[in-house]
């Protein structure tokens, strides 16, 4: 059996706009092993969420997956999700059953006109047609209890607006987990939640991963969360993966200037209150008809004339550690 449950190779997802082509995801490559968590990190607008929606084939017009491979292997051999149309029967079968997603804003993602129970029941009945309503409800109640939902019988009958943000996030996780998916995509699942609830949500996902032998794609901009959750990390910038590797490799031996900048901008325990954090100068360019150059060169202190002439390839600098930079050899010294 292949060690990798998901292999994303040279993925390209563009949005055709009146003002030009927005290259939201441009040549993204990363691989996810079974029972592993990969953290995808980067600034807002770098293409993290579009990558997730590309895997699920839920990118809305005018966006379209234009190239690359998304190889999913459930144990019977890899299938390329790119070759499936977004509305194909095969893709609808996988979406919500084999591959589920926890969205960033549960209040916006849960339907306001249906109860939590009705939404969970629909998910079960759609993918497990042999289940009757009684058995489906038992599955839903079991999952609501598993996610630590207070008073699950009442919340089963509640609408999203009748619950707190933390409860809605638990309901979203229960909805994503009720069919026991093989891959869970978590798109900034703890954003806007207090620190205590954040810890509960991350612990909950780790518990489900261990119990159901599940793989996780965890999307965030929080390096602290990713250090705790992930086994491997893919750092994205301007629609591309600029560095990827194990958590140890990224935190102990960062090579790309952008990765170094992210780590240097983190507060350190014991740091003086009057000591300023190191910021990455400049702003992220808009990926609208971008020039053929390193996307980070306008903000990079290591840039040279070569960086403005072409896009650096993603190269393996040590086992399972990849970097997209022309100067990686000099930075390793």
């Amino acid at each position: 059996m292949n060690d990798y449950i998901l292999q994303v190779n040279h993925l390209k997802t563009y949005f055709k706009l009146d003002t030009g082509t927005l290259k939201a995801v441009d040549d993204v490559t990363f691989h996810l092993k079974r029972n592993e968590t990969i953290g995808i990190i980067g600034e807002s607008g770098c293409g993290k969420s579009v990558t997730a929606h590309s895997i699920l084939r839920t990118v809305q017009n005018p966006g379209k997956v234009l190239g690359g491979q998304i190889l999913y292997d459930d144990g019977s051999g890899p299938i390329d999700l790119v070759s499936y149309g977004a509305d194909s029967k095969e893709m609808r079968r996988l979406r919500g059953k084999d591959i589920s997603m926890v969205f960033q804003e549960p209040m916006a993602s849960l339907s306001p006109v249906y109860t939590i129970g009705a939404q969970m029941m629909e998910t079960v009945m759609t993918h497990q047609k042999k289940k009757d309503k009684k058995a489906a409800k038992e599955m839903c109640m079991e999952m609501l209890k598993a996610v630590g939902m207070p008073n699950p019988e009442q919340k089963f009958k509640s609408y999203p607006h009748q619950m707190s943000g933390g409860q809605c996030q638990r309901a979203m996780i229960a909805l994503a987990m009720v069919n026991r998916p093989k891959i869970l995509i978590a798109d900034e699942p703890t954003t806007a939640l207090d620190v205590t609830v954040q810890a509960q949500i991350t612990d909950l996902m780790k518990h489900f991963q261990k119990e159901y032998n599940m793989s996780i794609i965890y999307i965030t901009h929080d390096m602290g969360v990713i250090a705790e959750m992930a086994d491997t990390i893919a750092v994205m910038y301007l629609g591309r993966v600029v560095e990827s590797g194990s958590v140890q490799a990224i935190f102990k031996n960062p090579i790309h200037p952008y990765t170094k900048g992210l780590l240097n901008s983190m507060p350190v325990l014991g740091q003086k209150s009057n000591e300023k954090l190191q910021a990455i100068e400049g702003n992220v360019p808009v990926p609208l008809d971008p020039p053929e150059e390193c996307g980070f060169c306008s903000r990079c202190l290591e840039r040279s004339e070569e960086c403005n002439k072409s896009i650096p390839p993603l190269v393996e600098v040590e086992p399972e550690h990849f970097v997209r930079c022309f100067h990686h050899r000099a930075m390793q010294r």
Side-chain angles (χ1 to χ4, degrees), residues 89 93 97 122-133 179:
K89 181 179 179 181
R93 178 183 62 81
K97 184 177 184 293
E122 181 183 10
T123 301
V124 175
M125 299 297 287
T126 297
H127 293 291
Q128 303 192 41
K129 299 184 185 299
K130 293 182 180 180
K131 296 279 186 184
D132 58 28
K133 288 187 177 181
N179 285 311

Side-chain angles (χ1 to χ4, degrees), residues 271-310:
Q271 189 172 0
K272 296 179 180 179
S273 59
N274 61 350
E275 189 176 341
K276 290 185 177 181
L277 296 175
Q278 296 183 39
I280 302 174
E281 298 295 332
N283 298 306
V284 182
V286 177
L288 192 65
D289 294 325
E292 289 291 309
E293 64 181 19
C294 172
F296 190 62
C297 66
S298 63
R299 306 172 71 186
C300 183
L301 300 177
E302 308 286 339
R303 64 181 177 270
S304 66
E305 189 176 337
E306 184 181 18
C307 303
N308 298 101
K309 294 181 178 179
S310 61

